[in-house]
Amino acid sequence: MADSAAPTGGYGGFQNEIYFAGLSGVVPEYPMDFAGWEARAAHALPPSVLSYVAGGAGDEGTQRANVAAFARWGLIPRMFVGATRRDLSVRMFGLTLPSPLFMAPVGVIGLCCQDGRGDLATARAAAATGVPMVASTLTVDPMEDVAAEFGDTPGFFQLYTPTDRELAESLVRRAEAAGYKGIVVTLDTWVTGWRPRDLSVSNFPQLRGHCLANYFSDPVFRRLLGKDPQDDPGAAILTWASLFGNPLTWDDLPWLRSMTTLPLIVKGICHPDDARRVIDDGVDGVYCSNHGGRQANGGLPALDMLPGIVAAAGSVPVLFDSGVRSGADVIKALALGATAVGIGRPYAYGLAIGGTAGVTHVLRAILAETDLIMAVDGYPTLADLTPEALWAVR
């Protein structure tokens, strides 16, 4: 992990770098908040990619609700604490991470970079900041090449479970061999949700052959196809489409657990009963998420579901994403019990406007705000952020 990840003064020291650079007439190259990243990315991304990243399901009501849910909570300031040093480190799955922030899987992150190699650029940002990347199954570059860019920062592999079990097992074995530290199985995307933005331009990137490197490089997939994907891209895409999307049931969970000795995290859990059952069946981590509102409209904000999931999970780590836009949001999710908090669109927009440097800037900005809120409001450690530290805003 690069030394710049946590500069002198903690992550909040990032603002000192900016202010002192300003004395020499240097201002930040990139915006400092989500609204700025989003606006810049709107000019940097092709319309089809922008709609895919920015859009959600239906009229995007759930997506908006995810964001609005954070405004219903406020952190109660505590004085005379003297929080001159903050400890943001977190331990989960046998790893000690410098902060609770991680980059959630984004299936078209490879297309968000100006050079079209966004998976590699994001992995390099993970190496520079110590913020783990959960690499999607849907990448422009094979998972092995992505993992090679992580440096000392651990990475996780997100699995869209194919209908062919041998192919699923091959993908997991490759992730193990490449050095990933956990497998994140996404449960809510065996079929694509109703996404009007994408439908209006008839754009589904994978059907155009994008972000399928992990399949096209897989020996089991190539055997099922019966030829080199480069020799017949159309047939390769159709084969992928026929294999993608396994509507998993509880009967499949023992098989998922048996595939790997790595930590197994299941993504999309929003009901306490589901959390209790997956833990009873040997899952190592619960990932509370509604896919950022991209899969099903009319649902509840993921943040509202988080406390119930945390209570059901007991000592099992709970990862969270959906609607996180700032350090203040990170703080609130942690106070509601999340072990680690993921961002999606913020780093995708950073990637669009600046590649690795843009992602690094976004991560450092979010970490700096998180750190400085803890300093100002008197919460020196993550253990101090409890539900009692929050007040419901009326």
Side-chain angles (χ1 to χ4, degrees):
M1 182 180 68
D3 293 339
S4 63
T8 302
Y11 290 107
F14 184 36
Q15 74 171 359
N16 296 333
E17 294 180 29
I18 294 171
Y19 287 140
F20 278 107
L23 299 177
S24 301
V26 178
V27 298
E29 184 175 357
Y30 309 111
M32 299 307 305
D33 61 6
F34 179 80
W37 304 327
E38 184 179 41
R40 282 273 293 273
H43 294 287
L45 289 172
S48 60
V49 177
L50 177 65
S51 69
Y52 195 91
V53 174
D59 70 356
E60 301 178 354
T62 297
Q63 182 173 319
R64 292 190 297 273
N66 279 336
V67 176
F70 288 93
R72 296 200 293 268
W73 294 102
L75 187 68
I76 304 170
R78 302 304 303 269
M79 296 298 108
F80 292 103
V81 176
T84 55
R85 297 184 67 86
R86 282 79 59 196
D87 182 5
L88 274 67
S89 65
V90 61
R91 184 168 179 80
M92 62 179 185
F93 312 129
L95 302 168
T96 299
L97 304 173
S99 86
L101 195 66
F102 69 93
M103 288 181 279
V106 177
V108 295
I109 203 66
L111 304 181
C112 292
C113 195
Q114 297 304 311
D115 67 359
R117 311 299 288 277
D119 305 292
L120 301 180
T122 301
R124 292 172 188 134
T129 61
V131 175
M133 173 189 183
V134 182
S136 175
T137 307
L138 300 170
T139 54
V140 169
D141 288 280
M143 68 175 83
E144 292 84 358
D145 294 352
V146 177
E149 300 292 341
F150 287 150
D152 294 330
T153 301
F156 296 81
F157 179 71
Q158 175 265 340
L159 178 69
Y160 283 127
T161 311
T163 55
D164 186 276
R165 285 193 169 191
E166 189 179 359
L167 175 57
E169 292 165 3
S170 179
L171 292 169
V172 169
R173 285 195 299 271
R174 289 172 59 194
E176 290 174 331
Y180 289 89
K181 301 302 182 183
I183 305 296
V184 178
V185 179
T186 294
L187 303 171
D188 62 3
T189 315
W190 61 271
V191 64
T192 304
W194 182 256
R195 302 174 185 172
R197 290 205 210 192
D198 297 328
L199 290 164
S200 65
V201 292
S202 302
N203 179 51
F204 192 81
Q206 287 74 35
L207 290 180
R208 298 170 185 264
H210 298 302
C211 306
L212 298 179
N214 283 325
Y215 299 92
F216 291 179
S217 61
D218 192 272
V220 173
F221 180 90
R222 294 167 73 93
R223 177 170 55 76
L224 292 171
L225 177 62
K227 63 185 78 173
D228 189 319
Q230 293 183 346
D231 293 341
D232 193 344
I237 293 168
L238 289 176
T239 299
W240 168 80
S242 71
L243 293 167
F244 183 82
N246 190 334
L248 297 168
T249 70
W250 289 110
D251 291 339
D252 294 305
L253 187 50
W255 164 67
L256 289 173
R257 176 66 280 180
S258 72
M259 278 199 296
T260 183
T261 58
L262 289 175
L264 182 66
I265 303 108
V266 287
K267 180 176 183 285
I269 300 295
C270 288
H271 195 293
D273 288 350
D274 291 345
R276 282 186 281 267
R277 185 164 179 179
V278 296
I279 291 168
D280 288 345
D281 285 350
V283 161
D284 302 289
V286 177
Y287 193 149
C288 178
S289 167
N290 63 19
H291 218 104
R294 286 184 50 73
Q295 273 295 88
N297 197 36
L300 293 164
L303 190 72
D304 290 358
M305 302 293 98
L306 178 59
I309 299 301
V310 170
S315 61
V316 171
V318 175
L319 285 67
F320 173 82
D321 73 23
S322 296
V324 180
R325 301 290 185 262
S326 67
D329 294 344
V330 172
I331 288 282
K332 294 171 187 180
L334 292 170
L336 289 173
T339 308
V341 181
I343 59 169
R345 291 178 179 92
Y347 87 84
Y349 294 151
L351 181 65
I353 64 179
T356 295
V359 178
T360 299
H361 173 87
V362 166
L363 296 176
R364 295 191 69 193
I366 291 175
L367 285 169
E369 185 183 19
T370 302
D371 184 34
L372 290 168
I373 289 173
M374 293 175 67
V376 172
D377 282 350
Y379 294 87
T381 72
L382 298 186
D384 297 310
L385 293 171
T386 66
E388 290 70 33
L390 297 178
W391 189 269
V393 178
R394 303 298 182 186

